[in-house]
């Protein structure tokens, strides 16, 4: 019970640091609003960086998940305490003085609250966090280099499960670190930076053994007719990666397709060899189709639903021309995840042309 109460108190303190009742309209919303990129990824924030008194300000809560950072709010004194790698900073609403041990840090402009968020000048962010901040007034951007403190992803509902990028070279992280309950393990995974390539972490008991796994989804790039996504399933108890049957292996074993052109009519047959219903389509007015089989793997999306790992592969009949998705649902067998059920799902515009589905 004591452990539970301590956890609840900690959660309340952290939540208080993230959102504070707005006590005063003393700080009107500044005219210039900036977007913010941390380690080349755009953040979705409810309160964005602003310029106030010719000084850029950032919402302190954006650092709440950073490594080594703890935020605590004192409602009575209107003071937020920031703990960074053992150092302590006390920031008071409306004050230009920040207390750090025996040191008083003088700010050019006072910290303040707007929309329930504590706003601090970028100079203080740099000093406390060791980050590098560059504001681009012309483009309304604030660029933050967290120096490795900001996670690339945090699992929904599990703030103790985080992913960090390492060895950034030419826009690609050459290594990634997974953190679970304060412990870390490094993997030789790679992922590019950018707002389209944000990784995702999902905690779920995929193998139904009563203990959760971490699903790591790494978007590797997208473009016309392409979306690449890698997946890794990690045991939370020992950081070991659990093998997954490759999509290429699944398609080779369980999927047979045939494409035939008869005038302006495309005959498409998808056979799933007992793993799912076969589908036949007769689609009129499809030009450029010259291949004899469908292609899978150019567009890949994974998800977890009801503790089941599911992947959708775009079914391509010509470059950038897709008529549906092959959906694979996995099951845990003999130490790895293998295809259990398959389904071909035509896109809505092609469903009227389904001749057979059984």
């Amino acid at each position: 019970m004591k452990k539970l109460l301590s956890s609840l108190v900690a959660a309340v303190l952290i939540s208080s640091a993230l959102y504070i009742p707005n006590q005063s309209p003393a700080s009107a919303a500044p005219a210039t609003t900036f977007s913010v990129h941390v380690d080349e990824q755009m953040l979705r924030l409810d309160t964005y960086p602003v310029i106030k008194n010719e000084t850029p300000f950032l919402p302190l809560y954006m650092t709440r998940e950073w490594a080594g950072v703890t935020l605590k709010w004192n409602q009575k004194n209107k003071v937020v305490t920031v703990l960074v790698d053992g150092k302590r900073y006390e920031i008071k609403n409306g004050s230009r003085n920040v207390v750090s041990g025996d040191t008083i840090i003088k700010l050019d402009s006072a910290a303040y609250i707007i929309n329930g968020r504590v706003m601090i000048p970028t100079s203080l962010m740099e000093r406390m966090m060791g980050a590098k901040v560059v504001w681009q007034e012309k483009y309304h951007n604030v660029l933050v280099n967290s120096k490795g403190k900001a996670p690339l992803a945090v699992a929904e509902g599990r703030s103790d499960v985080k992913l960090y990028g390492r060895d950034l070279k030419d826009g690609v992280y050459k290594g990634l670190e997974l953190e679970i309950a304060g412990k870390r393990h490094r993997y030789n995974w790679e992922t590019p930076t950018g707002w389209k390539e944000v990784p995702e972490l999902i905690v779920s008991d995929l193998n139904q053994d009563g203990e959760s796994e971490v699903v790591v989804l790494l978007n590797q790039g997208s473009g016309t007719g392409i979306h690449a996504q890698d997946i890794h399933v990690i045991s939370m108890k020992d950081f070991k990666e659990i093998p997954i049957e490759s999509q290429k292996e699944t398609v080779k074993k369980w999927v047979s397709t045939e494409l035939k052109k008869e005038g302006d009519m495309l005959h498409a047959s998808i056979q799933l060899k007992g793993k799912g219903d076969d589908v036949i389509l007769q689609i009129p007015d499809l030009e450029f189709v010259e291949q004899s089989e469908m292609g899978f793997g150019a567009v890949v999306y994974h998800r977890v639903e009801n503790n089941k790992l599911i992947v959708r592969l775009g079914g391509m009949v010509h470059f950038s021309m897709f008529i549906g998705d092959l959906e694979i649902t996995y099951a845990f067998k003999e130490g790895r995840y293998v295809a259990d059920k398959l389904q071909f799902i035509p896109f809505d515009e092609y469903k009227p042309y389904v001749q057979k589905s059984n």
Side-chain angles (χ1 to χ4, degrees):
M1 178 63 74
K2 288 183 178 179
K3 184 176 181 180
L4 176 60
L5 289 174
S6 298
S7 299
L8 290 173
V9 170
V12 170
L13 287 172
I14 293 173
S15 298
S16 298
L18 302 186
Y19 189 85
I20 305 155
N22 207 351
Q23 301 297 319
S24 145
S27 301
T32 304
T33 303
F34 286 68
S35 62
V36 58
H37 291 74
V38 176
D39 300 337
E40 300 188 37
Q41 293 184 355
M42 181 181 290
L43 291 189
R44 298 181 183 273
L45 302 171
D46 58 20
T47 302
Y48 285 91
V50 295
I51 297 291
K52 184 174 181 290
N53 299 330
E54 299 183 354
T55 300
F57 277 75
L58 295 168
L60 180 60
Y61 91 101
M62 63 179 274
T63 67
R64 67 195 185 281
E65 303 289 0
W66 287 24
V69 176
T70 302
L71 309 178
K72 295 182 180 180
W73 171 251
N74 185 311
Q75 175 65 18
K76 180 179 179 180
N77 299 322
K78 306 298 185 292
V79 172
V80 61
T81 299
V82 184
L83 302 175
V84 185
D85 296 330
K87 293 185 179 180
R88 182 186 183 95
Y89 303 87
E90 295 181 355
I91 307 168
K92 187 170 185 178
N93 180 37
S95 175
R96 292 174 55 191
N97 294 332
V98 175
V99 179
S100 179
D102 296 330
T103 303
I104 302 295
I105 302 171
K106 294 283 187 179
L107 305 177
D108 293 333
S109 297
Y112 70 101
I113 297 174
I114 187 172
N115 298 330
R117 301 298 190 186
V118 173
M119 305 293 289
I120 62 172
T122 55
S123 59
L124 182 58
M125 173 76 75
E126 290 181 320
R127 177 158 183 170
M128 291 192 304
M129 308 296 174
K132 181 180 179 181
V133 183
V134 176
W135 65 94
Q136 299 176 316
E137 189 166 3
K138 179 180 178 181
Y139 302 106
H140 286 193
N141 287 329
V142 176
L143 308 179
V144 180
N145 181 346
S146 76
K147 303 294 181 67
K149 283 187 173 295
L152 300 179
V154 180
E156 184 175 356
R158 288 293 302 263
S159 60
D160 62 332
V161 179
K162 305 175 185 179
L163 187 70
Y164 294 87
R166 293 292 177 261
D167 298 335
L168 180 61
K169 297 178 181 178
D170 300 323
V172 177
Y173 287 107
K174 298 296 184 179
L176 297 174
E177 282 185 359
L178 181 63
E179 179 178 303
I180 302 174
K183 297 181 180 179
R184 291 194 187 189
H185 186 84
R186 178 164 177 151
Y187 299 88
N188 294 323
W189 304 332
E190 294 187 4
T191 191
T193 61
W195 66 273
K196 287 185 177 181
E197 285 74 43
V198 178
E200 184 180 358
L201 299 178
I202 303 170
V203 176
S204 180
D205 183 9
L206 294 180
N207 57 16
Q208 308 296 311
D209 66 349
E211 297 185 2
S212 295
E213 290 74 49
V214 180
V215 179
V216 182
L217 300 181
L218 302 176
N219 294 323
Q220 301 292 9
S222 59
T224 303
I226 296 174
H227 183 271
Q229 188 180 64
D230 290 345
I231 181 170
H232 304 275
V233 178
I234 304 300
S235 168
M236 295 187 68
K237 59 185 178 182
D238 56 14
F239 286 97
K240 289 184 178 179
E241 184 163 1
I242 304 172
I244 305 173
E245 180 180 77
S246 73
Q247 295 149 15
K248 185 176 180 180
E249 181 182 356
T250 298
V251 171
K252 183 178 180 180
K253 286 199 311 186
W254 302 111
V255 182
S256 176
T257 66
E258 182 181 43
L259 301 176
K260 286 184 179 180
K261 283 295 295 283
E262 297 177 359
D264 65 349
M265 185 73 68
L266 175 67
H267 173 90
S269 172
I270 303 97
Q271 297 181 354
L272 303 181
K273 302 180 181 179
K275 285 288 183 179
D277 291 339
D278 298 338
V279 177
I280 295 176
L281 301 96
Q282 296 278 7
I283 306 173
D285 303 322
L286 270 189
E287 300 179 358
F288 311 118
V289 177
E290 297 177 353
Q291 60 196 60
S292 60
E293 296 180 346
M294 293 180 64
F296 298 99
V299 174
V300 180
Y301 287 96
H302 296 84
R303 72 182 190 274
V304 174
E305 191 174 287
N306 297 324
N307 289 331
K308 292 288 187 179
L309 177 61
I310 301 171
V311 62
R312 276 199 171 198
L313 308 177
M316 185 171 61
V317 297
H318 184 70
F319 178 72
S320 298
M321 184 183 293
F322 299 82
I323 63 172
D325 286 326
L326 176 66
E327 185 171 276
I328 305 169
T329 301
Y330 293 87
F332 186 73
K333 296 179 181 179
E334 297 180 354
R336 69 171 185 158
Y337 295 97
V338 297
D340 183 48
K341 296 179 181 178
L342 276 66
Q343 182 181 11
F344 184 79
I345 306 170
F347 293 153
D348 288 344
E349 61 265 40
Y350 300 118
K351 286 180 179 179
Y353 306 120
V354 174
Q355 303 298 304
K356 175 184 176 182
S357 179
N358 58 27

